[in-house]
Amino acid sequence: MYNFAVKSLGNGTAHLEEKLPTWQGAVVFRMKATCFQLRRWLLDQRQRPARYTPSVRIEAAVCRGEWRADLWHESAAPQERLLQLGKVQNLRVAARSLHGIEVPAGEVLSFWRQIGRATRLRGYTVGRELREGCLIPNVGGGLCLLSGAIYNAALAAGLEVVERHAHSNPGVGPLARVGRDATVFWNYVDLRLRAPFPWRLEVRLTSEHLIVRVLAVEQAAESGAPSPPLLAQGAGATHLNSCATCGINSCFRHSENDGTAVGEEHTAVLVDDWQPEWGALVKREEYAGAFLCRPMDGERFRKANYQWSDAGFSRVRSATVLTLRRGRAMRRLREQGAARQQALLVWDEKLARAYARRLRATHTHLLIAQNLLPFLWREGVLGGRTFDVLMSRLPLDSLHAALKQAATMHPESTTCSDFQAPQELVATEAEALAAADRWITPHSVIAQLAGSRAALTPWHLPAARIAQRGDGCRVVFPASTLCRKGAYEVREAARRLGLEVVCLGGFLEGADFWSGVCLVQPDPHHWLNGIDAVVLPAFVEHHPRRLLEAVASGVPVIASTACGLASIPGVTEIRAGDVADLVQGLREVLPQPAAAMSH
């Protein structure tokens, strides 16, 4: 609240008069704070608390204490929206330095030593801060919500509280009114914790809550203090004046734009490779006025795989230099192989970080390319936001399972192990996908995995080509000889039926892979002419463009369910890895009679 002074009315009575903050008082406050900050710095020179590096190791630990706090206050005035968004942004940045740290037994965790000073250069923005009885806009404002959550989780876990400070005004919220709050102010108003056992801190933001957990090994947890009872966790400040809503123009802190989000962008679209289905999606009205982050201007640089249109977006930013560097690095690697797949992950992470730096606190909803998702999640960028995912492939855990199935059926293959993402990345993507609002995809298998969150978009069918049918025994295999594409099954079926095969890709399983099969040289410009069917019994297929081209031209297609073309007319679905099923499918779609079919 404001300070009050007693004013005499001359008749023996008096009343309270509001005493507004002044710039002179602010200068005095700043001088005092500087003295305290210097004193803290000098004291810490004797024995400065350590700064811990977040670890991805998962110890055999149990949750000893947990605390949840609401990120958004429904009772907050509309004028305070920007400050609310700033608070959540500050929590995101601070959580990155705290999530996953492991504190050894007997050592002290200092809140400020761990996260560092809250500055704009480090990603912090303007949020609400309690000072001199008022909620004022300030860089780093809102971190008290985090320190308070850590304090309450620590109490539940039986940690020793080395240092903790309460708010001077109990009206700041329900925790302050019962003495369970913990305020912080750089660097002398700190929160410091210690335990006689090693412990781990986890800090996450969902779209609605801040969640803090303290973990310890079970033996240590048993020796901890009993957990205090949980308290009701409602909205925050209810009895404090805020610069955004007080309406007192004579205050020196008053600003016409305090807390007002003028022309804010609510949605950001973070994309990578272009697909016609995605291009049609972002043109819809729901993304009008959004912020677009794209790899480069595909039209300007004549790159068809990056032809994202900037029409309808409020702002567009391109990562052109980074994308050119990625393209140069990829050209030095084989078209297939483990080294290429691992390099793609490295560049995906770089692109995700480049996009993350361009996001604003006002971006409360994101549309994200799947290859960027795990890195944005790991960086804490998605906390306090809702998001949809453009699913361009199977989730990593499902992809690994499909590759394992192919490798088990064909142990002689040398290509099934080309792509094996680190297990930590697999787990990270699974967490992020579980938190997504929607999985947007045209792929029927991916949509089935998404369940109720699936947003199935139609496949884009290209313009039809005039295709002349063959004599009944020529099929196209529209891929390289990769085990995961079903090359072994096509070879076996061709041998049994005496088929001619047109292979549109390279020979990656060995130069003599097609031994015993009549191989026909493909015509790259008219590859559908003289063809009786297109065959792809793949274990993994995310972009069946050749199959869609065949469907549009009226050429029969035999594809495994893994190709994601369920319910599309002209496609005969079979089971991946089942040669008998493939042979039966070929007998049904190839013209009869054919001499080769008697083999």
Side-chain angles (χ1 to χ4, degrees):
M1 301 289 282
Y2 287 111
N3 296 322
F4 289 87
V6 179
K7 182 178 181 180
S8 174
L9 298 179
N11 57 359
T13 61
H15 77 282
L16 293 178
E17 183 181 68
E18 288 188 0
K19 184 179 179 182
L20 297 180
T22 63
W23 68 266
Q24 294 92 338
V27 170
V28 172
F29 175 87
R30 181 67 267 169
M31 293 175 63
K32 290 180 179 179
T34 301
C35 292
F36 283 121
Q37 289 166 347
L38 179 60
R39 179 176 179 271
R40 169 70 80 176
W41 182 82
L42 292 172
L43 290 174
D44 280 348
Q45 298 313 300
R46 302 177 183 175
Q47 189 174 3
R48 177 178 296 183
R51 190 175 190 276
Y52 306 98
T53 302
S55 170
V56 297
R57 294 182 292 118
I58 301 177
E59 301 288 351
V62 295
C63 178
R64 184 60 181 152
E66 178 177 309
W67 192 259
R68 290 173 178 258
D70 294 335
L71 291 178
W72 313 100
H73 299 155
E74 294 181 1
S75 59
Q79 296 91 331
E80 296 199 18
R81 175 170 173 76
L82 190 58
L83 298 180
Q84 289 272 350
L85 295 170
K87 174 195 70 176
V88 175
Q89 169 64 13
N90 295 333
L91 293 173
R92 285 189 202 103
V93 177
R96 296 174 201 167
S97 300
L98 291 164
H99 180 68
I101 63 172
E102 296 180 355
V103 184
E107 293 196 14
V108 173
L109 170 66
S110 163
F111 182 88
W112 284 123
R113 173 62 177 157
Q114 184 63 32
I115 73 169
R117 189 166 191 172
T119 64
R120 290 186 183 275
L121 289 177
R122 301 184 64 242
Y124 291 93
T125 188
V126 174
R128 296 198 313 174
E129 177 182 296
L130 179 63
R131 185 183 300 180
E132 297 179 287
C134 300
L135 288 170
I136 68 170
N138 195 48
V139 174
L143 291 180
C144 291
L145 183 66
L146 177 56
S147 59
I150 294 174
Y151 173 62
N152 280 277
L155 289 179
L159 272 59
E160 175 190 355
V161 180
V162 178
E163 179 181 343
R164 168 257 178 183
H165 302 269
H167 287 88
S168 58
N169 191 323
V172 71
L175 292 180
R177 290 193 287 273
V178 294
R180 290 280 292 275
D181 62 324
T183 186
V184 288
F185 188 87
W186 174 265
N187 61 351
Y188 64 96
V189 181
D190 200 3
L191 174 67
R192 298 192 175 189
L193 305 169
R194 179 169 54 203
F197 49 83
W199 55 285
R200 179 183 176 89
L201 183 64
E202 294 186 349
V203 180
R204 292 191 182 278
L205 279 73
T206 68
S207 60
E208 299 293 336
H209 298 97
L210 167 67
I211 304 174
V212 176
R213 303 172 72 218
V214 173
L215 290 82
V217 294
E218 193 166 2
Q219 293 82 357
E222 291 173 355
S223 64
S227 301
L230 292 179
L231 303 173
Q233 302 163 61
T238 55
H239 303 293
L240 296 173
N241 286 316
S242 169
C243 288
T245 58
C246 69
I248 302 178
N249 298 348
S250 57
C251 178
F252 84 101
R253 291 197 180 104
H254 176 75
S255 172
E256 293 297 332
N257 293 325
D258 280 343
T260 304
V262 179
E264 68 178 67
E265 298 165 338
H266 298 283
T267 302
V269 178
L270 315 179
V271 294
D272 195 357
D273 284 343
W274 180 89
Q275 295 182 35
E277 293 81 13
W278 306 151
L281 177 73
V282 298
K283 287 181 180 179
R284 297 175 187 169
E285 187 175 352
E286 60 184 300
Y287 297 107
F291 170 49
L292 173 65
C293 276
R294 62 186 179 186
M296 64 165 53
D297 186 342
E299 181 178 353
R300 177 183 177 186
F301 288 91
R302 298 181 180 178
K303 293 286 187 179
N305 57 325
Y306 298 134
Q307 54 181 300
W308 295 100
S309 171
D310 56 7
F313 290 99
S314 62
R315 288 188 307 129
V316 179
R317 293 292 182 271
S318 302
T320 306
V321 174
L322 179 60
T323 304
L324 291 174
R325 289 174 56 206
R326 178 175 66 173
R328 180 184 178 188
M330 291 299 101
R331 285 193 294 272
R332 296 178 178 178
L333 297 171
R334 292 178 54 196
E335 185 63 27
Q336 300 289 339
R340 181 181 180 84
Q341 300 299 333
Q342 295 303 320
L344 283 173
L345 292 178
V346 172
W347 286 103
D348 286 346
E349 182 173 12
K350 291 181 179 180
L351 185 61
R353 288 182 173 178
Y355 286 172
R357 290 192 294 269
R358 294 171 180 175
L359 291 176
R360 294 177 176 176
T362 57
H363 294 137
T364 57
H365 182 74
L366 306 180
L367 178 66
I368 308 169
Q370 184 183 5
N371 59 306
L372 308 176
L373 178 67
F375 306 107
L376 293 171
W377 180 265
R378 190 165 62 189
E379 290 292 312
V381 174
L382 305 183
R385 291 179 165 121
T386 58
F387 59 94
D388 301 325
V389 185
L390 296 174
M391 299 292 293
S392 55
R393 56 163 171 75
L394 290 170
L396 288 174
D397 51 0
S398 299
L399 176 58
H400 283 187
L403 292 174
K404 183 178 180 180
Q405 178 190 4
T408 301
M409 295 186 66
H410 301 288
E412 70 275 21
S413 172
T414 60
T415 62
C416 285
S417 60
D418 279 355
F419 183 79
Q420 291 292 325
Q423 190 57 40
E424 179 269 333
L425 192 66
V426 176
T428 300
E429 186 194 62
E431 289 181 2
L433 287 174
D437 283 3
R438 295 188 300 168
W439 297 15
I440 303 174
T441 180
H443 199 287
S444 58
V445 174
I446 298 176
Q448 186 177 10
L449 292 173
S452 61
R453 289 178 295 162
L456 192 62
T457 61
W459 286 106
H460 172 77
L461 291 179
R465 293 188 180 186
I466 299 176
Q468 182 180 358
R469 296 295 294 273
D471 58 5
C473 63
R474 180 172 295 181
V475 299
V476 166
F477 178 61
S480 300
T481 56
L482 294 165
C483 176
R484 63 177 180 269
K485 299 300 182 183
Y488 285 92
E489 286 72 24
V490 172
R491 183 180 65 180
E492 179 61 25
R495 287 172 177 173
R496 292 186 188 182
L497 299 177
L499 301 178
E500 297 178 351
V501 176
V502 178
C503 180
L504 298 184
F507 300 171
L508 302 182
E509 294 278 358
D512 60 345
F513 179 83
W514 293 108
S515 176
V517 175
C518 179
L519 202 63
V520 179
Q521 190 71 20
D523 181 347
H525 301 292
H526 305 284
W527 64 276
L528 283 172
N529 281 339
I531 299 302
D532 297 291
V534 178
V535 183
L536 191 64
F539 294 86
V540 175
E541 178 55 58
H542 300 131
H543 308 293
R545 297 297 167 196
R546 296 284 193 180
L547 303 186
L548 294 170
E549 189 174 346
V551 168
S553 301
V555 178
V557 170
I558 301 176
S560 65
T561 54
C563 294
L565 298 176
S567 303
I568 291 186
V571 176
T572 299
E573 286 197 307
I574 62 172
R575 295 183 296 272
D578 192 329
V579 176
D581 206 13
L582 174 58
V583 169
Q584 180 61 31
L586 285 167
R587 290 184 183 275
E588 292 176 357
V589 303
L590 291 177
Q592 298 289 342
M597 301 298 288
S598 62
H599 287 246

